[in-house]
Amino acid sequence: MNLCLRMRVEGFGKVWCNMALADKIASKNKDKRNQNLMGLIKRMHSVVETDDIDRHRQSQDNFGAIFGASKDITYADFKIEEMDAEWSRVNRVHMKKYVVLYCHGGGYMTGSLKYARCLTGKLASSTSMDVLAFDYRLAPEHPYPAALEDAMKAWNYLMLLGYGARDVIVGGDSAGGNLALALVLKLKEEDRILPRGIFLMSPWTDLTVSGKSHQTKADIDPVLNAEYLKEAIDSYAKDEDLQNPLISPLFGEFKGFPPVYIQTGDNEILLDDATMLHKKLVRENVSVKMDIYEGMWHVFQMSPFKTAYEAMDKNAEFIFDICR
């Protein structure tokens, strides 16, 4: 690791530790706690982000490898054809019947299975299930439908391993939530058996950017902004019909969908992407539950503090309920 990158990692580590400390110190004062945490999150993203997309991706990979490390979790890398993939497994006796297929976030431009270890490790620990993550091809080098094709490749791999569709729970965060929904919509389009359930963290469901929260939350969201989303949309779906349900799942037909669980923060510009999806699923008689976390930001579940771990436990509760 070069000196510049090491300094960035060390800076990230200090922010990470300060975040946990701020949560502990200010736990009795919600407003102060949220302000402190959101300020630290903004600093954290300033450490990671860079205009050089290759460096951005490399930084995320290094941070995920370091801060997703846990003596309780084993990460086993392999390939699905030419695509990198990874199993996250707890180092104890655990459930083998069911498996989680996880789609990482990153605006379809960045992110990786390594960066997602802060989430996949927690998922493996909280559910005691194996979690499969995969490195789908990224935009702008590989725009739509490359990511969806790769998600289908991961799904088919699980079927070849001998899992039934009903043995799989599909999940994702941010753009990964978009991809998880698009995958299940594609399976439905092909008249294939659907997974047992879907869980989504801060899902990006509408690339037409129709939600009011894009304006009402613009000044307080510490993670996302309109400029970033525009770049992501142009990279992933330029010249595409943004109302295509496989690009903006909000416009999909969900009749017959498996149970869905959604988590979102009330301080993120994608809040309405989640709430509008929830309303549509209710209208189409899909079993759905949503939790809106007060004072939380985009994919807050990655962070090392109490609310994040509690949210992961809620994901596990959803999975346990549908696997009974």
Side-chain angles (χ1 to χ4, degrees), residues 196-242:
R196 180 166 288 269
I198 308 167
F199 66 97
L200 308 166
M201 293 176 279
S202 300
W204 188 24
T205 68
D206 178 18
L207 273 65
T208 72
V209 195
S210 67
K212 293 181 180 178
S213 57
H214 285 276
Q215 287 76 48
T216 60
K217 303 295 181 179
D219 292 336
I220 59 174
D221 189 325
V223 177
L224 297 179
N225 56 54
E227 181 181 1
Y228 173 85
L229 289 184
K230 184 181 185 306
E231 181 184 1
I233 294 165
D234 288 344
S235 294
Y236 181 63
K238 188 175 183 179
D239 300 325
E240 298 284 349
D241 176 8
L242 297 183

Side-chain angles (χ1 to χ4, degrees), residues 65-75 89-92 121 125:
I66 292 170
F67 298 107
S70 169
K71 64 180 180 180
D72 300 320
I73 304 293
T74 297
Y75 298 105
R89 297 185 172 107
V90 289
N91 296 321
R92 60 175 184 266
S125 180

Side-chain angles (χ1 to χ4, degrees), residues 92-149:
R92 60 175 184 266
V93 176
H94 60 279
M95 189 180 300
K96 297 288 188 179
K97 176 175 173 52
Y98 300 105
V99 64
V100 176
L101 177 61
Y102 194 77
C103 306
H104 71 75
Y108 284 116
M109 301 183 298
T110 64
S112 68
L113 55 82
K114 288 183 179 178
Y115 188 53
R117 284 178 180 176
C118 293
L119 295 169
T120 55
K122 290 177 184 175
L123 280 168
S125 180
S126 61
T127 62
S128 292
M129 295 179 186
D130 292 347
V131 179
L132 174 61
F134 56 100
D135 273 346
Y136 54 84
R137 288 168 290 168
L138 298 174
E141 301 95 322
H142 304 284
Y144 172 85
L148 179 56
E149 292 170 349

Side-chain angles (χ1 to χ4, degrees), residues 103 108 144-145 147-149 151-152 155 170-172 174-190 194-195 198 200 203-205 207 236 244-254 257 277:
C103 306
Y108 284 116
Y144 172 85
L148 179 56
E149 292 170 349
M152 186 65 76
W155 175 269
V170 177
S174 192
N178 179 302
L179 184 56
L181 289 166
L183 170 62
V184 181
L185 284 168
K186 186 65 175 177
L187 292 169
K188 184 173 181 284
E189 181 183 286
E190 296 183 356
L194 304 185
I198 308 167
L200 308 166
W204 188 24
T205 68
L207 273 65
Y236 181 63
N244 177 350
L246 301 181
I247 293 174
S248 295
L250 183 65
F251 298 98
E253 165 59 57
F254 295 101
F257 244 49
L277 174 67

